[in-house]
Amino acid sequence: MRCRLALIAVAMAACHSNASPTTVLPTPLGPPPPAAVALQGHLSAEEGRELQVIRWIHEGSGIIQRFRDSGALADSVEWFVPGPSAVLPFAGTWRGLAGIVEFQRQLDSTMRYDRVELREYLASANSIAAVFFGEGIARGTGRPFRSEILRLYTFDSGTGKIVRVRNYYDTDSYVAAVRAR
């Protein structure tokens, strides 16, 4: 099994591949910086398409609308966020676009992000990871949180659609902010 791992700087462009026929990306990405040019030829065409989709979703505002507009989500997409759901109402497993919308509603009502910085992408086989740094406050307590966040997207190789999204972050930082301890 071929498993290449490529680190890609935040502002990178995908490797000049066309988007999958199941994906609509209405707004083009910026020009590729030198690091992206150096990666050309290192990602398969499929990895390049998948990276382009994830870049388009994350490198603009309104992530939920971008998910809708992209056509990249499988109807049964699974969105997983670890943590104690009794404390963090956005934690758990959410299904479909409606589940992602509810996740976002729960997150937004619990946490206020003052800073989110996309740091890098990782590409391997049928998965793309986006690494972020986030910080803000818990809305109920005003207490701060900060964490590096890894969001791992898994694509179905047959349809080219995202079938699973797993989020990993410092749950203790979020729990401490919500509980005000």
Coordinates of all heavy atoms in Angstrom, one line a residue, residues 16-94:
H16 N -2.4 21.6 -9.0 CA -2.9 21.8 -10.3 C -3.8 20.7 -10.9 O -3.7 20.4 -12.1 CB -1.8 22.2 -11.3 CG -1.1 23.4 -11.0 ND1 -1.8 24.6 -10.9 CD2 0.2 23.7 -10.6 CE1 -0.9 25.6 -10.6 NE2 0.3 25.0 -10.4
S17 N -4.5 20.0 -10.0 CA -5.4 18.9 -10.6 C -6.8 19.5 -10.6 O -7.2 20.4 -9.9 CB -5.3 17.7 -9.7 OG -5.8 18.0 -8.4
N18 N -7.6 18.9 -11.5 CA -9.0 19.3 -11.6 C -9.8 18.7 -10.4 O -9.5 17.6 -9.9 CB -9.6 18.8 -12.9 CG -8.9 19.5 -14.1 OD1 -8.5 20.6 -14.0 ND2 -8.7 18.7 -15.1
A19 N -10.9 19.4 -10.0 CA -11.7 18.9 -9.0 C -12.5 17.6 -9.5 O -12.7 17.5 -10.6 CB -12.7 20.0 -8.5
S20 N -12.8 16.8 -8.5 CA -13.6 15.6 -8.8 C -14.9 16.0 -9.4 O -15.5 17.0 -9.1 CB -13.8 14.8 -7.5 OG -14.8 13.9 -7.6
P21 N -15.5 15.2 -10.3 CA -16.8 15.5 -10.9 C -17.9 15.7 -9.9 O -18.9 16.3 -10.1 CB -17.1 14.4 -11.9 CG -15.9 13.5 -11.8 CD -15.0 14.0 -10.8
T22 N -17.7 15.1 -8.7 CA -18.8 15.2 -7.6 C -18.6 16.4 -6.8 O -19.3 16.7 -5.9 CB -18.7 13.9 -6.7 OG1 -17.4 13.9 -6.1 CG2 -19.0 12.7 -7.5
T23 N -17.6 17.2 -7.1 CA -17.2 18.4 -6.2 C -17.3 19.6 -7.1 O -16.8 19.7 -8.2 CB -15.8 18.2 -5.7 OG1 -15.8 17.0 -5.0 CG2 -15.5 19.3 -4.8
V24 N -18.0 20.7 -6.5 CA -18.1 21.9 -7.1 C -17.4 22.9 -6.2 O -17.7 23.1 -5.1 CB -19.6 22.4 -7.2 CG1 -19.7 23.8 -7.8 CG2 -20.4 21.3 -8.0
L25 N -16.3 23.6 -6.8 CA -15.6 24.6 -6.1 C -15.8 25.9 -6.8 O -15.0 26.3 -7.7 CB -14.1 24.2 -6.0 CG -13.8 22.8 -5.4 CD1 -12.4 22.5 -5.4 CD2 -14.4 22.7 -4.0
P26 N -16.8 26.7 -6.4 CA -17.1 28.0 -7.1 C -16.0 29.1 -7.0 O -15.9 29.9 -7.9 CB -18.4 28.4 -6.5 CG -18.5 27.7 -5.2 CD -17.7 26.5 -5.3
T27 N -15.3 29.1 -6.0 CA -14.3 30.1 -5.8 C -12.9 29.5 -5.9 O -12.5 28.6 -5.2 CB -14.4 30.8 -4.4 OG1 -15.7 31.2 -4.2 CG2 -13.5 32.0 -4.3
P28 N -12.1 30.0 -6.9 CA -10.7 29.4 -7.0 C -9.8 29.7 -5.8 O -10.0 30.7 -5.1 CB -10.2 30.1 -8.3 CG -11.0 31.3 -8.4 CD -12.3 31.1 -7.8
L29 N -8.9 28.9 -5.6 CA -7.8 29.1 -4.6 C -6.8 30.0 -5.1 O -6.6 30.2 -6.3 CB -7.2 27.8 -4.2 CG -8.1 26.7 -3.5 CD1 -7.5 25.4 -3.5 CD2 -8.6 27.2 -2.2
G30 N -6.0 30.6 -4.2 CA -5.0 31.5 -4.6 C -3.9 30.8 -5.3 O -3.8 29.6 -5.3
P31 N -2.9 31.5 -5.8 CA -1.8 30.9 -6.5 C -0.9 30.1 -5.6 O -0.8 30.4 -4.4 CB -1.0 32.1 -7.1 CG -1.4 33.2 -6.3 CD -2.8 33.0 -5.8
P32 N -0.4 29.0 -6.1 CA 0.5 28.2 -5.2 C 1.8 28.8 -4.8 O 2.4 29.4 -5.7 CB 0.7 26.9 -6.1 CG 0.6 27.4 -7.5 CD -0.4 28.5 -7.4
P33 N 2.1 28.8 -3.5 CA 3.4 29.4 -3.1 C 4.5 28.4 -3.5 O 4.2 27.2 -3.9 CB 3.2 29.5 -1.6 CG 2.2 28.5 -1.2 CD 1.3 28.4 -2.4
P34 N 5.8 28.7 -3.4 CA 6.9 27.8 -3.7 C 6.8 26.5 -3.1 O 7.1 25.5 -3.8 CB 8.1 28.6 -3.3 CG 7.7 30.0 -3.3 CD 6.2 30.0 -2.9
A35 N 6.4 26.3 -1.9 CA 6.3 25.0 -1.2 C 5.3 24.1 -1.9 O 5.5 22.9 -2.0 CB 5.9 25.1 0.2
A36 N 4.2 24.7 -2.4 CA 3.2 23.9 -3.2 C 3.8 23.4 -4.5 O 3.6 22.3 -4.9 CB 1.9 24.7 -3.4
V37 N 4.5 24.3 -5.1 CA 5.1 23.9 -6.4 C 6.1 22.8 -6.2 O 6.2 21.8 -7.0 CB 5.9 25.2 -7.0 CG1 6.7 24.8 -8.3 CG2 4.8 26.3 -7.4
A38 N 6.8 22.8 -5.1 CA 7.8 21.7 -4.8 C 7.1 20.4 -4.6 O 7.7 19.3 -4.8 CB 8.6 22.1 -3.6
L39 N 5.8 20.4 -4.2 CA 5.1 19.2 -4.0 C 4.5 18.6 -5.3 O 4.1 17.4 -5.3 CB 3.9 19.4 -3.0 CG 4.4 19.6 -1.6 CD1 3.2 20.1 -0.7 CD2 4.9 18.2 -1.1
Q40 N 4.4 19.3 -6.3 CA 3.9 18.8 -7.6 C 4.6 17.5 -8.0 O 5.9 17.5 -7.9 CB 4.0 19.9 -8.7 CG 3.0 21.0 -8.5 CD 3.1 22.1 -9.6 OE1 4.1 22.1 -10.3 NE2 2.1 22.9 -9.7
G41 N 3.9 16.5 -8.3 CA 4.5 15.3 -8.7 C 4.6 14.3 -7.5 O 5.0 13.2 -7.6
H42 N 4.3 14.8 -6.3 CA 4.5 14.0 -5.1 C 3.1 13.5 -4.6 O 3.1 12.6 -3.7 CB 5.2 14.8 -4.0 CG 6.6 15.1 -4.3 ND1 7.6 14.1 -4.3 CD2 7.2 16.2 -4.7 CE1 8.8 14.7 -4.7 NE2 8.5 16.0 -5.0
L43 N 2.1 14.1 -5.0 CA 0.7 13.6 -4.6 C 0.1 13.0 -5.8 O 0.3 13.4 -7.0 CB -0.2 14.8 -4.2 CG 0.3 15.6 -2.9 CD1 -0.7 16.7 -2.7 CD2 0.3 14.7 -1.7
S44 N -0.7 12.0 -5.6 CA -1.4 11.3 -6.7 C -2.5 12.3 -7.1 O -2.8 13.3 -6.4 CB -2.1 10.0 -6.2 OG -3.1 10.3 -5.3
A45 N -3.1 12.1 -8.3 CA -4.2 12.9 -8.8 C -5.3 13.0 -7.8 O -5.9 14.0 -7.5 CB -4.6 12.5 -10.1
E46 N -5.6 11.8 -7.2 CA -6.7 11.7 -6.2 C -6.4 12.5 -5.0 O -7.2 13.3 -4.5 CB -7.0 10.2 -5.8 CG -8.1 10.1 -4.9 CD -8.4 8.6 -4.6 OE1 -7.7 7.7 -5.1 OE2 -9.4 8.3 -3.9
E47 N -5.2 12.4 -4.5 CA -4.7 13.2 -3.3 C -4.8 14.7 -3.6 O -5.3 15.5 -2.8 CB -3.3 12.8 -2.8 CG -3.2 11.4 -2.2 CD -1.8 11.0 -2.1 OE1 -0.9 11.4 -2.8 OE2 -1.5 10.2 -1.1
G48 N -4.4 15.1 -4.8 CA -4.5 16.5 -5.2 C -5.9 17.0 -5.2 O -6.2 18.1 -4.7
R49 N -6.8 16.2 -5.7 CA -8.2 16.6 -5.8 C -8.8 16.7 -4.4 O -9.5 17.7 -4.0 CB -9.1 15.6 -6.6 CG -9.0 15.8 -8.1 CD -10.0 14.9 -8.8 NE -9.9 13.5 -8.5 CZ -9.0 12.7 -9.1 NH1 -8.3 13.1 -10.1 NH2 -9.0 11.4 -8.8
E50 N -8.5 15.7 -3.5 CA -9.0 15.7 -2.1 C -8.4 16.9 -1.4 O -9.2 17.6 -0.6 CB -8.6 14.4 -1.4 CG -9.4 13.3 -2.0 CD -8.9 11.9 -1.6 OE1 -7.8 11.8 -0.9 OE2 -9.5 10.9 -1.9
L51 N -7.2 17.2 -1.5 CA -6.6 18.4 -0.9 C -7.2 19.7 -1.4 O -7.5 20.6 -0.6 CB -5.1 18.4 -1.1 CG -4.3 19.6 -0.6 CD1 -4.5 19.7 0.9 CD2 -2.9 19.6 -1.0
Q52 N -7.5 19.8 -2.6 CA -8.1 20.9 -3.2 C -9.5 21.2 -2.5 O -9.8 22.3 -2.2 CB -8.2 20.8 -4.7 CG -8.7 22.1 -5.4 CD -8.7 22.0 -6.9 OE1 -8.6 20.9 -7.4 NE2 -9.0 23.1 -7.5
V53 N -10.3 20.1 -2.4 CA -11.6 20.2 -1.7 C -11.4 20.8 -0.3 O -12.1 21.7 0.1 CB -12.3 18.9 -1.7 CG1 -13.5 18.9 -0.8 CG2 -12.7 18.5 -3.1
I54 N -10.5 20.2 0.5 CA -10.4 20.6 1.9 C -9.8 22.0 2.0 O -10.3 22.8 2.8 CB -9.5 19.6 2.7 CG1 -10.1 18.2 2.6 CG2 -9.2 20.1 4.1 CD1 -11.5 18.1 3.1
R55 N -8.9 22.3 1.1 CA -8.4 23.7 1.1 C -9.5 24.7 0.8 O -9.6 25.7 1.5 CB -7.3 23.9 0.0 CG -6.0 23.3 0.4 CD -4.9 23.8 -0.5 NE -4.8 25.3 -0.4 CZ -4.8 26.1 -1.4 NH1 -4.9 25.7 -2.6 NH2 -4.7 27.4 -1.2
W56 N -10.3 24.4 -0.2 CA -11.4 25.3 -0.5 C -12.4 25.5 0.6 O -12.8 26.6 0.9 CB -12.2 24.8 -1.8 CG -13.2 25.8 -2.2 CD1 -13.0 26.9 -2.9 CD2 -14.6 25.7 -1.8 NE1 -14.2 27.6 -3.1 CE2 -15.2 26.9 -2.4 CE3 -15.4 24.9 -1.1 CZ2 -16.5 27.2 -2.3 CZ3 -16.7 25.2 -0.9 CH2 -17.3 26.3 -1.5
I57 N -12.7 24.4 1.3 CA -13.6 24.4 2.5 C -13.0 25.3 3.6 O -13.7 26.1 4.2 CB -14.0 23.0 3.0 CG1 -14.9 22.3 2.0 CG2 -14.6 23.1 4.4 CD1 -15.1 20.8 2.2
H58 N -11.8 25.2 3.9 CA -11.2 25.8 5.0 C -10.6 27.2 4.8 O -10.4 28.0 5.7 CB -10.1 25.0 5.7 CG -10.7 23.9 6.5 ND1 -11.3 24.1 7.7 CD2 -10.8 22.5 6.3 CE1 -11.7 22.9 8.2 NE2 -11.4 22.0 7.3
E59 N -10.2 27.5 3.6 CA -9.6 28.8 3.3 C -10.5 29.9 2.8 O -10.3 30.6 1.9 CB -8.4 28.6 2.3 CG -7.3 27.7 2.8 CD -6.2 27.4 1.8 OE1 -6.1 28.1 0.8 OE2 -5.5 26.4 2.1
G60 N -11.6 30.0 3.5 CA -12.6 31.0 3.3 C -13.5 31.1 4.5 O -13.4 30.3 5.5
S61 N -14.5 31.9 4.5 CA -15.4 32.0 5.6 C -16.7 31.2 5.4 O -17.0 30.8 4.2 CB -15.8 33.5 5.8 OG -16.4 34.0 4.7
G62 N -17.4 30.9 6.4 CA -18.6 30.2 6.3 C -18.5 28.7 6.0 O -18.9 28.2 5.0
I63 N -17.8 27.9 6.9 CA -17.5 26.5 6.6 C -18.7 25.7 6.3 O -18.7 24.9 5.4 CB -16.6 25.9 7.7 CG1 -16.1 24.6 7.3 CG2 -17.4 25.8 9.0 CD1 -15.1 24.0 8.3
I64 N -19.8 25.9 7.0 CA -21.0 25.1 6.8 C -21.5 25.4 5.3 O -21.9 24.4 4.6 CB -22.1 25.4 7.8 CG1 -21.6 25.0 9.2 CG2 -23.4 24.7 7.5 CD1 -21.3 23.6 9.4
Q65 N -21.6 26.6 4.9 CA -22.1 26.9 3.6 C -21.1 26.4 2.6 O -21.5 25.9 1.5 CB -22.2 28.4 3.4 CG -22.9 28.8 2.1 CD -24.3 28.2 2.0 OE1 -25.1 28.3 2.9 NE2 -24.6 27.6 0.8
R66 N -19.8 26.4 2.9 CA -18.8 25.8 1.9 C -19.0 24.3 1.8 O -18.8 23.7 0.8 CB -17.4 26.2 2.4 CG -17.1 27.6 2.0 CD -15.7 28.0 2.5 NE -15.4 29.3 1.9 CZ -14.7 29.4 0.7 NH1 -14.2 28.4 0.1 NH2 -14.4 30.6 0.2
F67 N -19.3 23.6 2.9 CA -19.6 22.2 2.9 C -20.8 22.0 1.9 O -20.8 21.1 1.1 CB -20.0 21.6 4.2 CG -18.8 21.2 5.0 CD1 -18.6 21.6 6.3 CD2 -17.9 20.3 4.5 CE1 -17.6 21.2 7.1 CE2 -16.8 19.8 5.3 CZ -16.6 20.3 6.6
R68 N -21.9 22.8 2.1 CA -23.1 22.7 1.2 C -22.7 22.9 -0.2 O -23.1 22.1 -1.1 CB -24.1 23.7 1.7 CG -24.9 23.3 2.9 CD -26.0 24.3 3.1 NE -26.8 23.9 4.3 CZ -26.8 24.7 5.4 NH1 -26.2 25.8 5.5 NH2 -27.6 24.3 6.4
D69 N -22.0 24.0 -0.5 CA -21.6 24.4 -1.9 C -20.7 23.4 -2.6 O -20.8 23.3 -3.8 CB -21.0 25.8 -1.9 CG -21.9 26.9 -1.5 OD1 -23.2 26.7 -1.4 OD2 -21.4 28.0 -1.2
S70 N -19.9 22.8 -1.8 CA -18.8 21.9 -2.4 C -19.4 20.6 -3.0 O -18.9 20.0 -3.9 CB -17.8 21.5 -1.4 OG -18.2 20.6 -0.5
G71 N -20.5 20.1 -2.4 CA -21.0 18.8 -2.8 C -20.1 17.7 -2.5 O -20.2 16.6 -2.9
A72 N -19.2 18.0 -1.5 CA -18.1 17.0 -1.2 C -18.5 16.0 -0.1 O -17.8 15.0 0.1 CB -16.9 17.7 -0.8
L73 N -19.6 16.3 0.6 CA -20.0 15.4 1.7 C -20.9 14.3 1.3 O -21.9 14.5 0.6 CB -20.8 16.2 2.8 CG -20.0 17.2 3.6 CD1 -20.9 18.0 4.5 CD2 -18.8 16.6 4.3
A74 N -20.6 13.1 1.7 CA -21.6 12.0 1.5 C -22.8 12.3 2.4 O -22.7 12.9 3.4 CB -20.9 10.7 1.9
D75 N -23.9 11.8 1.9 CA -25.2 12.1 2.7 C -25.1 11.5 4.1 O -25.6 12.1 5.0 CB -26.4 11.4 2.0 CG -26.7 12.2 0.7 OD1 -26.3 13.3 0.5 OD2 -27.4 11.5 -0.2
S76 N -24.3 10.4 4.3 CA -24.2 9.7 5.6 C -22.9 10.1 6.3 O -22.5 9.3 7.1 CB -24.3 8.2 5.4 OG -23.2 7.8 4.5
V77 N -22.3 11.2 5.9 CA -21.0 11.6 6.5 C -21.1 11.5 8.1 O -22.1 11.9 8.6 CB -20.6 13.0 6.1 CG1 -21.5 14.1 6.6 CG2 -19.1 13.3 6.5
E78 N -20.0 11.0 8.7 CA -20.0 10.9 10.1 C -19.0 11.9 10.6 O -17.8 12.0 10.1 CB -19.5 9.5 10.5 CG -19.4 9.3 12.0 CD -18.9 7.9 12.3 OE1 -19.7 7.0 12.2 OE2 -17.7 7.8 12.6
W79 N -19.4 12.8 11.6 CA -18.5 13.8 12.2 C -18.3 13.5 13.6 O -19.3 13.4 14.4 CB -19.3 15.2 12.0 CG -18.5 16.4 12.4 CD1 -18.4 16.9 13.7 CD2 -17.9 17.3 11.6 NE1 -17.7 18.0 13.7 CE2 -17.3 18.3 12.4 CE3 -17.6 17.4 10.2 CZ2 -16.6 19.4 11.9 CZ3 -16.9 18.4 9.7 CH2 -16.4 19.4 10.6
F80 N -17.1 13.2 14.0 CA -16.8 12.8 15.4 C -16.0 13.8 16.1 O -15.0 14.4 15.6 CB -16.0 11.5 15.4 CG -15.5 11.1 16.7 CD1 -16.3 10.6 17.7 CD2 -14.1 11.2 17.0 CE1 -15.9 10.3 19.0 CE2 -13.7 10.9 18.3 CZ -14.5 10.4 19.3
V81 N -16.4 14.1 17.4 CA -15.7 15.1 18.2 C -15.6 14.4 19.6 O -16.6 14.1 20.2 CB -16.5 16.4 18.4 CG1 -15.7 17.4 19.3 CG2 -16.7 17.0 17.0
P82 N -14.4 14.1 20.1 CA -14.3 13.5 21.4 C -14.6 14.5 22.5 O -14.5 15.7 22.4 CB -12.8 13.1 21.4 CG -12.1 14.0 20.5 CD -13.1 14.4 19.5
G83 N -14.8 13.9 23.7 CA -15.1 14.7 24.9 C -16.3 14.3 25.6 O -17.2 13.6 25.1
P84 N -16.4 14.7 26.9 CA -17.6 14.4 27.7 C -18.8 15.3 27.2 O -18.8 16.5 27.4 CB -17.2 14.7 29.1 CG -16.2 15.8 28.9 CD -15.5 15.5 27.6
S85 N -19.8 14.6 26.6 CA -20.9 15.4 26.0 C -21.8 16.1 27.1 O -22.5 17.0 26.8 CB -21.8 14.5 25.1 OG -22.3 13.4 25.8
A86 N -21.7 15.6 28.4 CA -22.4 16.2 29.5 C -21.8 17.6 29.8 O -22.5 18.5 30.3 CB -22.4 15.3 30.7
V87 N -20.6 17.8 29.4 CA -19.9 19.1 29.7 C -19.7 19.9 28.4 O -19.9 21.1 28.4 CB -18.5 18.8 30.3 CG1 -17.8 20.1 30.5 CG2 -18.6 18.1 31.6
L88 N -19.4 19.1 27.3 CA -19.2 19.8 26.0 C -20.3 19.3 25.1 O -20.2 18.2 24.5 CB -17.8 19.4 25.4 CG -16.6 19.7 26.3 CD1 -15.3 19.1 25.7 CD2 -16.5 21.2 26.6
P89 N -21.4 20.0 24.9 CA -22.5 19.6 24.2 C -22.3 19.3 22.7 O -23.0 18.7 22.0 CB -23.6 20.6 24.4 CG -22.8 21.8 24.8 CD -21.6 21.3 25.5
F90 N -21.1 19.8 22.2 CA -20.8 19.6 20.8 C -20.0 18.3 20.6 O -19.8 17.9 19.5 CB -20.0 20.8 20.2 CG -18.8 21.1 21.1 CD1 -17.6 20.5 20.9 CD2 -18.9 22.1 22.1 CE1 -16.5 20.8 21.7 CE2 -17.8 22.4 22.9 CZ -16.6 21.8 22.7
A91 N -19.6 17.6 21.7 CA -18.9 16.3 21.6 C -19.9 15.2 21.2 O -21.0 15.3 21.6 CB -18.2 16.0 22.9
G92 N -19.4 14.3 20.5 CA -20.2 13.1 20.1 C -20.0 12.8 18.6 O -19.1 13.3 18.0
T93 N -20.9 12.0 18.1 CA -20.9 11.6 16.7 C -22.1 12.2 16.1 O -23.2 12.0 16.5 CB -20.9 10.1 16.6 OG1 -19.7 9.5 17.2 CG2 -20.9 9.7 15.1
W94 N -21.9 13.0 15.0 CA -23.0 13.7 14.3 C -23.0 13.1 12.9 O -22.0 12.7 12.4 CB -22.7 15.2 14.3 CG -22.4 15.7 15.6 CD1 -21.2 15.8 16.3 CD2 -23.4 16.3 16.5 NE1 -21.4 16.4 17.5 CE2 -22.7 16.7 17.7 CE3 -24.7 16.5 16.4 CZ2 -23.3 17.3 18.7 CZ3 -25.4 17.1 17.5 CH2 -24.7 17.5 18.6

